Amino acid sequence: MNYNIYFSPTGGTKKVTSLVSEQFSPVKDIDLSLIEDFSQYEFNQDDFCIVGVPSFGGRVPAIAIERLAMMKAHQTPVCMIVTYGNRAYEDTLLELKDTLKQQGFLPFSAMACVCEHSIMHQFGQGRPNQQDQQQIIHFTKNIKERLTKELTEIEVPGQRPYKEYHGIPLKPTASKKCIECGICAKSCPVQAIDIKHPQQTDKDKCISCMRCIAVCPTHARKNNPVLLAASVQKLKKACQQAKENELF
């Protein structure tokens, strides 16, 4: 069986993993942003998994690590996919590899792909574009060919210990446009929004994944514009030049 496993709060990572998974059939999707018991998933050597996560400050989102660590595998071949908003992915691939290997997966291939930044959309805007998509499909053909041969563990860039990540100050809040439909609360991967009072956000729980902004039907949830503008200026130089997708 083939599995498309992803943590994709705003949809960018899923867009990439789906481009890959569409080349395999049948495929079962496993959404790591949902609240469920992920210990129910156990994979065999005959299975094939695609695991995709976004890079949060050069690291795998902690909640994704936590949920992947609940799964078990038995030398299951895995293609790792890391997406990032045209800045850098730093230690994300290495951390993902270490996590999956510890759970019994065999990391034999990997991609690092640029997606539109989930907060500052001007960085990587429109990516993956048509050219990116064609390249990802081409990468997938290479991966399918590898699956017909003896698989070996790959090396990926990154350093141990991983870089420190303490989160960012951008925590979305609700405006008067909020109709208290509760969609954001039901969709929040870490339950940081009160279902009875969705205008309230627990800033200590919030991981700044921006899922609440992405799913809000009235566009009521926003980031602080002053902090957002400051963040844009801080990242502008690092994100200026378009990065290339990579296959490992």
Side-chain angles (χ1 to χ4, degrees):
M1 184 65 178
N2 305 302
Y3 296 88
N4 180 23
I5 306 168
Y6 53 85
F7 182 73
S8 184
T10 59
T13 301
K14 183 183 178 183
K15 189 178 291 185
V16 175
T17 63
S18 294
L19 282 168
V20 178
S21 69
E22 284 168 3
Q23 309 305 311
F24 297 87
S25 183
V27 177
K28 176 180 173 59
D29 280 5
I30 300 175
D31 186 349
L32 295 173
S33 69
L34 301 179
I35 309 297
E36 64 172 280
D37 180 13
F38 291 97
S39 65
Q40 66 180 293
Y41 297 110
E42 188 166 351
F43 310 101
N44 298 314
Q45 196 169 1
D46 294 334
D47 294 324
F48 167 62
C49 293
I50 300 156
V51 177
V53 298
S55 178
F56 279 17
R59 297 286 301 276
V60 179
I63 190 65
I65 290 285
E66 181 182 315
R67 290 170 183 174
L68 286 169
M70 296 171 70
M71 300 177 175
K72 291 182 181 179
H74 303 277
Q75 283 298 291
T76 308
V78 61
C79 170
M80 306 176 295
I81 297 176
V82 163
T83 61
Y84 65 107
N86 201 52
R87 185 188 68 83
Y89 57 90
E90 292 157 313
D91 299 331
T92 315
L93 257 182
L94 182 61
E95 185 179 16
L96 182 59
K97 176 189 171 182
D98 289 346
T99 302
L100 293 172
K101 189 177 175 183
Q102 188 173 359
Q103 299 312 118
F105 289 91
L106 173 58
F108 78 98
S109 63
M111 295 185 201
C113 300
V114 179
C115 283
E116 185 171 310
H117 201 287
S118 61
I119 303 174
M120 291 154 271
H121 299 281
Q122 60 267 57
F123 301 138
Q125 189 170 24
R127 299 187 70 180
N129 55 33
Q130 189 173 2
Q131 184 178 341
D132 292 322
Q133 293 176 35
Q134 290 173 350
Q135 188 177 39
I136 290 164
I137 291 170
H138 178 72
F139 285 170
T140 306
K141 291 178 181 177
N142 179 288
I143 291 165
K144 291 185 80 171
E145 187 177 339
R146 288 191 215 178
L147 282 167
T148 65
K149 303 173 183 178
E150 184 177 353
L151 300 178
T152 56
E153 181 183 321
I154 58 160
E155 295 298 320
V156 295
Q159 293 185 339
R160 302 183 189 92
Y162 316 126
K163 69 169 291 188
E164 292 187 11
Y165 176 64
H166 302 293
I168 58 174
L170 293 166
K171 310 289 183 181
T173 55
S175 69
K176 292 179 180 179
K177 290 182 179 180
C178 176
I179 57 174
E180 298 189 349
C181 64
I183 291 175
C184 59
K186 293 173 185 175
S187 302
C188 179
V190 292
Q191 297 179 303
I193 302 171
D194 190 331
I195 187 69
K196 294 181 180 179
H197 307 284
Q199 291 186 349
Q200 298 177 12
T201 303
D202 186 331
K203 293 185 178 181
D204 292 328
K205 283 186 177 180
C206 176
I207 59 172
S208 306
C209 73
M210 306 301 148
R211 188 174 182 87
C212 59
I213 290 179
V215 301
C216 180
T218 62
H219 308 289
R221 299 187 70 84
K222 305 284 184 183
N223 283 303
N224 181 301
V226 176
L227 290 176
L228 183 59
S231 298
V232 169
Q233 287 303 313
K234 185 177 180 180
L235 292 184
K236 194 172 183 179
K237 186 176 180 180
C239 297
Q240 207 164 22
Q241 186 174 354
K243 307 298 192 304
E244 296 294 329
N245 303 310
E246 298 173 83
L247 172 67
F248 301 92

